[in-house]
Amino acid sequence: MRGSHLSRTRTLTAVLALAATGAVALSGCGQNQQKAAPAAPPKKPDAFERRADQIVHDWPKVSPVHGRTQTLLPLVEAERPKSAAAREITVTVGHSACDVRFGARSHESKDLVVITGWGKRKSAKGMCTEQLATDKVTVHLKSALDGRKVVDAATGKQLLKG
């Protein structure tokens, strides 16, 4: 019986010591109030971002995307910029004649600029012909082209060598 009495005393002493340490540590809390804005939830990469990351990782061994999606429309061509210091590229996007909006977007890495066309249909309902429309779109880059290769995200083909 003698051992159990000492064990209880030691346990009680340890608990009191931890409680006192916690009280001292918490005594300064709450005196300076800070306001924190709620953090936005992490954004999930969309189909284009996943494809662009894959191209950057696997370049030059990239296969084309099978099937046509509104977020990865193939490019018909890219116009060569006037200089390597250019921060925009004009591409020709092949989109549906039924698209009410269309454009192009880019993903940049150290060696590549991956570009895709996109389109937004007026309505998923109703009939639409499979007619292809092509229009020129200017893509603004975060940094100068400066020798980077320009790659079509839909086909995986190199359009320009910067």
Side-chain angles (χ1 to χ4, degrees):
M1 292 276 185
R2 191 170 180 199
S4 66
H5 173 68
L6 287 176
S7 176
R8 267 193 283 180
T9 303
R10 287 181 188 159
T11 302
L12 182 59
T13 304
V15 167
L16 288 174
L18 285 172
T21 304
V24 169
L26 292 175
S27 65
C29 288
Q31 296 191 352
N32 292 332
Q33 291 186 353
Q34 296 179 354
K35 292 186 178 181
K43 184 179 140 191
K44 287 185 178 179
D46 63 12
F48 169 65
E49 290 166 337
R50 288 190 306 269
R51 174 67 175 167
D53 285 336
Q54 174 199 12
I55 289 172
V56 169
H57 182 267
D58 296 342
W59 184 258
K61 297 180 180 180
V62 180
S63 56
V65 173
H66 298 291
R68 187 177 172 100
T69 68
Q70 292 299 104
T71 57
L72 287 172
L73 295 177
L75 303 174
V76 178
E77 68 176 347
E79 292 179 7
R80 180 162 302 284
K82 292 183 177 19
S83 75
R87 295 185 78 159
E88 55 186 40
I89 299 173
T90 301
V91 295
T92 303
V93 178
H95 62 92
S96 167
C98 295
D99 289 338
V100 291
R101 292 186 325 187
F102 59 88
R105 59 189 278 206
S106 65
H107 175 91
E108 300 178 45
S109 75
K110 184 181 117 193
D111 299 319
L112 301 174
V113 176
V114 182
I115 301 178
T116 191
W118 60 267
K120 178 78 174 160
R121 295 234 167 131
K122 186 175 3 182
S123 170
K125 296 178 182 178
M127 194 169 87
C128 180
T129 64
E130 292 293 323
Q131 181 179 350
L132 178 68
T134 59
D135 285 287
K136 292 186 179 198
V137 177
T138 300
V139 179
H140 300 279
L141 304 176
K142 293 176 186 169
S143 59
L145 187 57
D146 198 27
R148 295 183 290 175
K149 296 174 180 128
V150 178
V151 179
D152 181 351
T155 63
K157 292 182 180 177
Q158 181 176 328
L159 297 170
L160 291 176
K161 182 174 183 177

